Amino acid sequence: MNATPGVGLIERARALASLIAGEADEIERTRRLTPAVVSALIENGLYRALLPQSLGGAEAPPDIFMQMLEEIAKADASTAWCLGQCSVCAMIAAWLDHDTAHEIFNTAPGILAWGAIAHEARAVEGGYRVTARWDFASGSRQASWLGAHVRIVGTDGVPRKNADGSPEVRTLLFPVAHATLHDVWQAIGLAGTGTDSYEVTDLFIPERFTAFRDVSSALRGTGPLYRIGTGSTFSLGFAAVSLGVARATLDAAIALARAKHQSLAAGAMRDNGAVQGLIGRTEGDLRAARAYLYATANAMWRELVATGEFSAAHRSAVRLAATWTIHQAAKVVDTAYHMAGATAVFRNQPFERRFRDMHAIAQQIQARDTHYEDVGKAILAGD
């Protein structure tokens, strides 16, 4: 790793912003992170932000991880999204034995990606066999390994159940060379993420390359980070990406307002009272959303470090803060986009892509309105 000694993840991310911004058009055009960007992220250890220290990772607390993603998202949302996705995937190392995790994450490039939970795998001697296709694998085009979250069917053909009656779900890990990737990500936003589908046919996965993701009793890593689990960490990370996009879009609108004359009669945009008030209110909205997200994450982290417990209340608080933050960030981007007027529709301006990226983020599972229902139900139940 060629990172400068003593320089942290946030500083490294900030230092890479100009490179990433310069590659953003090519990322959008090719629908892939460019080799220069991937190499820089690897060399500076950013993909290893959440990897256990025992494997050479940073095992960073949530607020450091979030700030790292914010800095990258200001330069390019697709890069930040892939980095966030693959960084969280690396947390599964805490559920694997050390040698297996070392093989996956310390053999270059050491990047894992995965998609949504789907399909079944059949238990066989020594492991599992599976034939299936999965979707939404952001970052898969940079990955050396892929994961698949599947329900398990026993050797007798009967679906396995957990003690509470729920289906047994395992995460199976296999080299990307064993899968066929399908180029399906033709999306209006986050175009450069390469969020494609992948497929395997009668693939055997040895037992040691499987894990009970986010199951506390199966956890091998000892750090408090892994008590949070991947689900809540995804929420915090992608909310931070939305903040970075919103910050960059609002900053672009402010820069435009300082320089633009709306018309000969109307005068300078910066002198327009309506514009001034709108910028002030929107700046307040963005700062409030960021403060709420980080306050929630930091309060959860302090209690987790002190008690070793990531409770249902923590999970609910993180979910609420992340969902609300993404929605607020979308409102900030919409305001900045509309404030820019006709300027915003041109591809050579810093608005149009961020508008599309932000609304792609807001359509993802982390921003579903049903999360408010879940939190409301818990509140009304006295939980």
Side-chain angles (χ1 to χ4, degrees), residues 81 190 231-232 234-243 293 318-331 357-375:
W81 190 270
L190 298 176
S232 293
F234 273 132
S235 296
L236 292 171
F238 292 144
V241 172
S242 76
L243 287 175
L293 180 69
V318 165
R319 176 64 79 187
L320 177 60
T323 304
W324 189 81
T325 296
I326 293 171
H327 290 168
Q328 289 301 115
K331 291 178 181 178
D357 287 341
M358 185 66 247
H359 283 278
I361 293 171
Q363 291 297 108
Q364 301 290 331
I365 189 172
Q366 307 298 340
R368 284 181 179 172
D369 279 341
T370 53
H371 298 322
Y372 294 125
E373 296 177 19
D374 294 338
V375 173

Side-chain angles (χ1 to χ4, degrees), residues 265-327:
M269 192 175 174
R270 66 177 179 272
D271 296 329
N272 185 304
V275 171
Q276 294 167 351
L278 188 57
I279 287 175
R281 286 190 295 272
T282 307
E283 181 70 30
D285 289 342
L286 180 54
R287 292 188 191 187
R290 189 177 190 276
Y292 173 38
L293 180 69
Y294 278 87
T296 301
N298 289 334
M300 172 273 293
W301 182 248
R302 285 193 300 271
E303 189 170 338
L304 173 57
V305 170
T307 67
E309 181 184 5
F310 182 72
S311 65
H314 288 147
R315 185 173 290 105
S316 181
V318 165
R319 176 64 79 187
L320 177 60
T323 304
W324 189 81
T325 296
I326 293 171
H327 290 168

Side-chain angles (χ1 to χ4, degrees), residues 128-335:
Y128 304 87
R129 283 199 175 274
V130 62
T131 297
R133 174 171 168 165
W134 299 270
D135 302 318
F136 298 107
S138 298
S140 56
R141 295 297 174 168
Q142 296 84 56
S144 46
W145 285 73
L146 294 171
H149 316 301
V150 295
R151 296 176 293 274
I152 299 299
V153 174
T155 55
D156 56 2
V158 177
R160 288 181 180 172
K161 302 289 186 181
N162 296 316
D164 62 2
S166 62
E168 179 183 313
V169 175
R170 281 183 179 261
T171 297
L172 315 180
L173 306 175
F174 46 88
V176 69
H178 293 172
T180 300
L181 271 65
H182 299 280
D183 186 351
V184 299
W185 189 246
Q186 302 283 346
I188 67 165
L190 298 176
T193 59
T195 302
D196 289 322
S197 301
Y198 55 107
E199 182 176 15
V200 299
T201 302
D202 195 30
L203 180 65
F204 172 72
I205 296 97
E207 181 78 30
R208 74 184 183 98
F209 290 102
T210 74
F212 288 112
R213 178 181 66 127
D214 292 351
V215 176
S216 296
S217 60
L219 188 60
R220 298 170 187 246
T222 58
L225 174 65
Y226 308 106
R227 294 286 173 185
I228 302 173
T230 62
S232 293
T233 311
F234 273 132
S235 296
L236 292 171
F238 292 144
V241 172
S242 76
L243 287 175
V245 175
R247 179 74 269 168
T249 313
L250 182 56
D251 284 349
I254 292 169
L256 179 68
R258 287 171 176 160
K260 184 177 180 179
H261 282 66
Q262 295 169 297
S263 68
L264 290 175
M269 192 175 174
R270 66 177 179 272
D271 296 329
N272 185 304
V275 171
Q276 294 167 351
L278 188 57
I279 287 175
R281 286 190 295 272
T282 307
E283 181 70 30
D285 289 342
L286 180 54
R287 292 188 191 187
R290 189 177 190 276
Y292 173 38
L293 180 69
Y294 278 87
T296 301
N298 289 334
M300 172 273 293
W301 182 248
R302 285 193 300 271
E303 189 170 338
L304 173 57
V305 170
T307 67
E309 181 184 5
F310 182 72
S311 65
H314 288 147
R315 185 173 290 105
S316 181
V318 165
R319 176 64 79 187
L320 177 60
T323 304
W324 189 81
T325 296
I326 293 171
H327 290 168
Q328 289 301 115
K331 291 178 181 178
V332 168
V333 170
D334 286 354
T335 299

